[in-house]
Amino acid sequence: MLKHVSFLTRDLGAVLAFYTRLGGVVEKDLTTAEGYRRGVIRLGEGRLQFFEVPGESPTPHGHWAEHVALHVVGLRGLLPGLRAAGVTVTRDLQPSPGGRDMAFVLDPDGRQVELLEA
């Protein structure tokens, strides 16, 4: 069972807001003993953990194969709101191989996020 996946971020506040908009719940937003800002988002049973580390820059690869995949409810209604908020859509709404609605967007750090209708 997956506990969490951890990433670096340039702007923890923007990342927490982005994943909250996708149905996540902020479990932690704190400063570690080392002085790093740490945030944890719960998405269903799993978690995404982000560290804002001064001087470190996340370098996500732009290829769609490297991505976070999330089940969301109401993707057709969610996607226009993401666009209006300035989120970049890299693959527009289309059927997934299994026939569900699917789209790819970029999170605030440029990380690919697959959105798949739950």
Side-chain angles (χ1 to χ4, degrees):
M1 173 188 329
L2 177 69
K3 180 181 179 232
H4 71 265
V5 179
S6 187
F7 298 107
L8 291 174
T9 181
R10 289 184 281 270
D11 183 345
L12 184 61
V15 166
L16 294 177
F18 174 82
Y19 286 99
T20 299
R21 179 174 285 209
L22 298 178
V25 175
V26 176
E27 287 191 338
K28 294 182 182 176
D29 181 356
L30 54 88
T31 302
T32 68
E34 300 85 7
Y36 308 146
R37 190 166 169 211
R38 175 180 172 230
V40 177
I41 296 276
R42 180 175 42 83
L43 291 151
E45 298 293 318
R47 283 150 181 79
L48 295 177
Q49 174 174 255
F50 294 91
F51 286 94
E52 187 178 283
V53 180
E56 294 289 330
S57 177
T59 55
H61 190 281
H63 193 276
W64 66 266
E66 279 188 12
H67 64 276
V68 174
L70 303 176
H71 281 119
V72 296
V73 175
L75 178 56
R76 285 181 182 269
L78 179 64
L79 206 52
L82 293 173
R83 276 195 177 99
V87 173
T88 300
V89 177
T90 58
R91 288 175 72 183
D92 212 345
L93 193 66
Q94 60 188 279
S96 71
R100 294 181 183 177
D101 282 344
M102 172 184 78
F104 277 75
V105 300
L106 296 180
D107 80 1
D109 289 314
R111 199 171 287 108
Q112 293 279 345
V113 180
E114 175 185 355
L115 303 176
L116 183 64
E117 182 65 38

